[in-house]
Amino acid sequence: MADETRTIKTDYLARVEGEGGMLIRLKGNEIEEVKLNIFEPPRFFEAFLRGRYFTEAPDITARICGICPVAYQTAAINAMESICGADVGSQIKALRRLLYCGEWIESHALHIYMLHAPDFLGYPSAIEIAKDAPEVVETALRLKKIGNHVMTVIGGREIHPINVKVGGFYKAPSKAELEAMVPDLEWALETSLETVKWTNTLDFPDFEMDYEFAALDAGGVYPIEGGKRFVSNRGLDIPIDEFYEHVVEEHVKHANALQGHMKERGSFLVGPLARYALWYDLLSAEARGAAEEIGLPKAVKNPFKSILVRSVELVEACVEALRLIREYEQPAEASIEVVPKAGKACGASEAPRGTLCHRYEIDAKGIILDATITPPTAQNQPQIEADLRGFVGQFMDLPNEELTLRCEQAIRNYDPCISCATHFLTLEIERT
Amino acid sequence: MAPTIAVWKFSSCDGCQLSLLDCEDELLGILGRVQIAYFPEATRAEIEGPWDVSLVEGSVTTPEEAERIKEIREKSGLVVAIGACATAGGIQALRNWANVKDYASIVYAHPEYLETLETSTPHSDHIQVDLELQGCPISKVQLVDTLLAVLSGRRPNVPTEAVCTECKRRETPCVQVLGTACLGPVTQAGCGAICPSYARGCYGCFGPKETPNTVSLAKRWSEMGVSEDELLRAFRTFNGYKPAFREESARHG
């Protein structure tokens, strides 16, 4: 019995974005191997960006991920504007943040209700939840739709928006077009507050990890559409341009995605848990109030409770969207002209699942010479493996089927985006 | 029994299959009339084939994918390719003009770990595809219409005309007449002519229309001062490997 091999595996992980699996091999009570297999095929974005014009990067990199295209567009734009020394002004920045709030609302609502909640409720998918509790899925769909609508009004469409560019927007929406979204967003805010209470009724395994949380520092506001510094709860505090001096990417055999490690520090975590722990004090009174009401501490170390934090961020995105609309004044020009300048810079944004960093080098004619893209899931992948190792160590006595489900759930805690990370998952637990 | 639908992913961004979940108003109605047999982005549950309809997203870029699409074809009543990757090879088809080994060494420290093909190709290069929905991403309207058409046994309404016709119906002033280079005249309708309504020229994400006159459009762009490099890049994006766009970009290479 002591030397019995146990394999816990999932060949094709469901309810994540992209293609990956999990393999965990146990010999007796020893964990021999924990692997997140990423078989999502490589698409070589960083290679074919070379030779393209710098203004093409937002539309091309949007195609890395259909779930968070705005994150890609925005990070690319931030990098290019940094290289060229362009400052687009406060109203264009506000419009970018509003567009990004739409993506957070859509993505968080999708993950909370349709991808993550089935794990807690014991269903294979939201489709089966809809048969027993249609109101839950109807709520999710309406929230999603409101997020998508924000993206459609500002970006032209929800998947791969067409209205954003280096320098601003092709066309700025009128104040009236934005104000027309207020009643829906007010409903979304009320529903998000209910979502926080609803997610708090779910059961969470008693499990905590000691994380290094990392997120952008957006200079006095909760980080969403950008930030000039990358900081952690363990003293990391660097300008974004130094990202690649501190985060190293490693190519391991079982993953077509590169894994991010912090130099001499190891794995770290980006995403809602990190943003919330680092920037709790910058949340709106409504979001903090919602967290306080369910007794959520300032630093959440149980990764399964990421669904609670994601709900708090859903509140935040709705509050922010309403504020941005209230304060919006249509800019006289929808964009500024950006003249290419030879140089190299990083640009980052907070995708719903965590910090996304792009680095480009362009020549004086605006041609891209080099591109490096580090998605949040690539950074989180070593931490996900560490969580699995910790979780299996603590819950080894569970029967295989339940342990497999719980391990899948531990991966989904991260809302992983494998298409992103390959530019990542099959779950498998082997016991000897 | 309700017809079974399987949703398959190949090399892609997942955006086109997300379009199905983005049909917020229609989704529960559709789910009431079909059985989802395979759709890992949404569910752990699986029903073994054969399947009545397979929606196929993404392009073929690995030996495994080249085999898998053949198996899906054998076990599916209808195969519907959805999106620019599945119908044209997608943005990742830019490798078709390069050496994939060079590409791999730019992105990965150990290219030898990768299993990848030299090319990114649409499914129609590998199997008989019954219907193609173009677009990067596809139109939700076309997707819902296609599913309803399959359920009721009629032909889907997929336009083959140019984006220009949609601009006219929306009464959007022609951006090209106003001086902005636009691929609308050679690009298939379906998006609703979004870009021109945002004062932007169409960038061809729905791919070539039937019988597109790319030569004439390229000539007009040249007269407007668009460089050969810009022309090459304009035709070589998300649908760049689709023959009409591929041939036009080659004229400017």
Side-chain angles (χ1 to χ4, degrees), chain A residues 15 17-18 40-42 46 52 56 59 63 66 124-125 144-145 148 152-153 158 162 251 256 408 419, chain B residues 9 11 13-15 21-22 24-25 40 42-44 95 103 107-108 110 136 140 198 200 203 233 236:
Chain A
R15 302 202 318 276
E17 198 263 352
E40 171 96 21
E46 289 143 314
R52 304 297 298 206
E56 293 185 287
D59 285 325
R63 270 68 182 185
S125 78
K144 245 176 69 54
K145 189 180 173 185
N148 275 337
T152 301
V153 168
E158 64 271 45
I162 57 89
H251 187 193
N256 291 343
E408 285 188 17
S419 298
Chain B
K9 176 184 158 67
S11 297
C13 79
D14 286 47
L21 298 177
D22 277 353
E24 288 99 356
D25 293 331
T43 182
R44 288 184 100 246
R95 74 171 67 175
Y103 268 24
V107 182
Y108 297 96
H110 297 285
C136 183
K140 288 195 293 191
Y198 281 78
R200 175 181 188 175
Y203 64 93
R233 288 196 298 264
R236 206 170 278 182

Side-chain angles (χ1 to χ4, degrees), chain A residues 282-301:
Chain A
L282 296 176
L283 286 167
S284 61
E286 291 89 338
R288 263 181 291 138
E292 270 164 35
E293 202 180 324
I294 60 163
L296 198 64
K298 280 193 186 185
V300 177
K301 294 178 176 179

Side-chain angles (χ1 to χ4, degrees), chain B residues 11-207:
Chain B
S11 297
S12 67
C13 79
D14 286 47
C16 289
Q17 51 177 315
L18 180 67
S19 295
L20 185 54
L21 298 177
D22 277 353
C23 295
E24 288 99 356
D25 293 331
E26 300 87 0
L27 186 63
L28 292 178
I30 292 169
L31 293 178
R33 295 180 61 184
V34 302
Q35 296 182 79
I36 296 294
Y38 187 75
F39 188 7
E41 184 164 288
T43 182
R44 288 184 100 246
E46 290 178 29
I47 304 172
E48 296 226 344
W51 309 281
D52 294 307
V53 182
S54 277
L55 299 178
V56 182
E57 175 200 84
S59 67
V60 177
T61 70
T62 67
E64 182 275 332
E65 288 181 332
E67 283 306 309
R68 181 153 52 100
I69 189 56
K70 289 183 184 135
E71 286 169 31
I72 291 169
R73 172 72 275 181
E74 277 170 24
K75 293 185 187 166
S76 305
L78 282 173
V79 174
V80 183
I82 58 168
C85 298
T87 61
I91 189 73
Q92 58 273 13
L94 291 176
R95 74 171 67 175
N96 302 357
W97 287 277
N99 182 330
V100 81
K101 289 196 184 75
D102 294 344
Y103 268 24
S105 62
I106 290 170
V107 182
Y108 297 96
H110 297 285
E112 71 276 13
Y113 293 170
L114 301 177
E115 272 196 40
T116 188
L117 295 170
E118 291 284 330
T119 54
S120 169
T121 46
H123 295 284
S124 55
D125 282 12
H126 301 264
I127 58 156
Q128 172 78 37
V129 172
D130 299 302
L131 184 69
E132 291 192 328
L133 296 182
Q134 295 182 198
C136 183
I138 55 168
S139 145
K140 288 195 293 191
V141 174
Q142 287 188 8
L143 178 63
V144 170
D145 179 75
T146 297
L147 291 174
L148 293 176
V150 168
L151 287 170
S152 58
R154 65 164 169 83
R155 278 177 74 94
N157 290 307
V158 179
T160 54
E161 65 212 31
V163 170
C164 296
T165 60
E166 295 185 310
C167 270
K168 299 293 171 283
R169 287 189 205 108
R170 290 182 68 145
E171 302 182 348
T172 304
C174 179
V175 294
Q176 185 147 296
V177 167
L178 297 169
T180 301
C182 180
L183 283 177
V186 297
T187 301
Q188 181 162 301
C191 66
I194 306 168
C195 288
S197 76
Y198 281 78
R200 175 181 188 175
C202 166
Y203 64 93
C205 73
F206 266 64

Side-chain angles (χ1 to χ4, degrees), chain A residues 12-13 16-20 40 418-419 424-425, chain B residues 9 14 41:
Chain A
Y12 196 116
L13 202 76
V16 300
E17 198 263 352
E19 297 182 295
E40 171 96 21
I418 306 173
S419 298
F424 133 99
L425 249 12
Chain B
K9 176 184 158 67
D14 286 47
E41 184 164 288

